[in-house]
Amino acid sequence: MDEKKAAILQEIPRLRRYARALLRDRDSADDLVQDSLERALLRMDNWRTGESPRRWLFTIMHHLFIDQMRKVSRRGEASILPLEASEAMATPAIQAESVASREIVDALQQISPDRRAALVMVAIEGFSYAEAATMLGVPAGTLMSRIARGREELRGLLDDQARRRAIRIVEK
């Protein structure tokens, strides 16, 4: 039993990263991780020993995220959370890579949650299409479509941001 708990605890950084990609708010992401871990510990018998708990935990987290989004849409509340004050403040970039990274993260937050979840699972977390499709509960073709549309949407957003940055430079 302790071996299972230790394996689950090792996945917390990855769970946090995925939760932060799904939600903009650090506190909401931490709550999602905590709810996922609580559910996992209560249902530890569902996890097959010998396998990495990663897929199982990500599946739990994704289902909890979808449930939260459904609750929000039923209530009519905004599904996009406001940026934290520290995230909304503009700070000068030290390196060009940090600006590009921030633009990618911002653009990723602007695409739909379904596409964002699919992209994060495959492109960032490194799951195969088959694994991600199973975890998200969609057919592989649907997952590939979400990824393709998400990438296209990201390209459009990033091209638009590059144009706006170029315009700002010219205006100065």
Side-chain angles (χ1 to χ4, degrees):
M1 190 67 104
D2 291 333
E3 186 178 304
K4 282 185 171 183
K5 286 181 184 177
I8 289 171
L9 292 177
Q10 289 177 348
E11 297 298 327
I12 290 175
R14 290 184 178 119
L15 290 171
R16 278 195 176 135
R17 182 174 57 208
Y18 182 54
R20 297 269 329 258
L22 293 174
L23 303 164
R24 288 187 189 185
D25 182 56
R26 176 178 290 157
D27 293 332
S28 297
D30 286 344
D31 289 344
L32 181 60
V33 170
Q34 182 175 344
D35 292 345
S36 300
L37 291 172
E38 181 181 343
R39 184 166 290 182
L41 292 173
L42 288 172
R43 295 183 172 106
M44 212 172 336
D45 295 337
N46 294 347
W47 172 40
R48 290 182 228 132
T49 308
E51 288 184 10
S52 168
R54 190 171 179 211
R55 282 181 38 190
W56 179 63
L57 290 168
F58 273 68
T59 302
I60 290 170
M61 179 177 282
H62 181 73
H63 289 298
L64 286 172
F65 171 70
I66 294 299
D67 290 346
Q68 286 179 2
M69 298 311 304
R70 285 182 183 145
K71 286 178 189 174
V72 167
S73 68
R74 276 194 303 258
R75 289 188 208 136
E77 298 172 11
S79 60
I80 297 177
L81 299 171
L83 292 174
E84 294 178 0
S86 62
E87 292 178 272
M89 294 175 54
T91 57
I94 297 171
Q95 298 175 341
E97 293 84 23
S98 66
V99 172
S101 296
R102 189 66 201 167
E103 286 176 353
I104 292 169
V105 169
D106 290 343
L108 188 61
Q109 292 299 321
Q110 292 178 33
I111 66 174
S112 74
D114 290 340
R115 292 176 184 171
R116 182 171 58 238
L119 276 170
V120 169
M121 286 276 193
V122 173
I124 297 173
E125 295 301 332
F127 289 108
S128 70
Y129 285 146
E131 289 173 326
T134 301
M135 291 166 40
L136 297 176
V138 298
T142 301
L143 177 84
M144 289 188 277
S145 174
R146 288 179 183 176
I147 290 171
R149 289 181 180 152
R151 285 179 176 157
E152 187 61 35
E153 197 173 344
L154 276 176
R155 278 187 212 104
L157 289 167
L158 292 171
D159 285 347
D160 187 45
Q161 287 176 357
R163 278 191 293 260
R164 280 188 271 143
R165 191 173 56 247
I167 290 170
R168 275 187 251 143
I169 291 171
V170 172
E171 289 177 346
K172 289 184 177 183

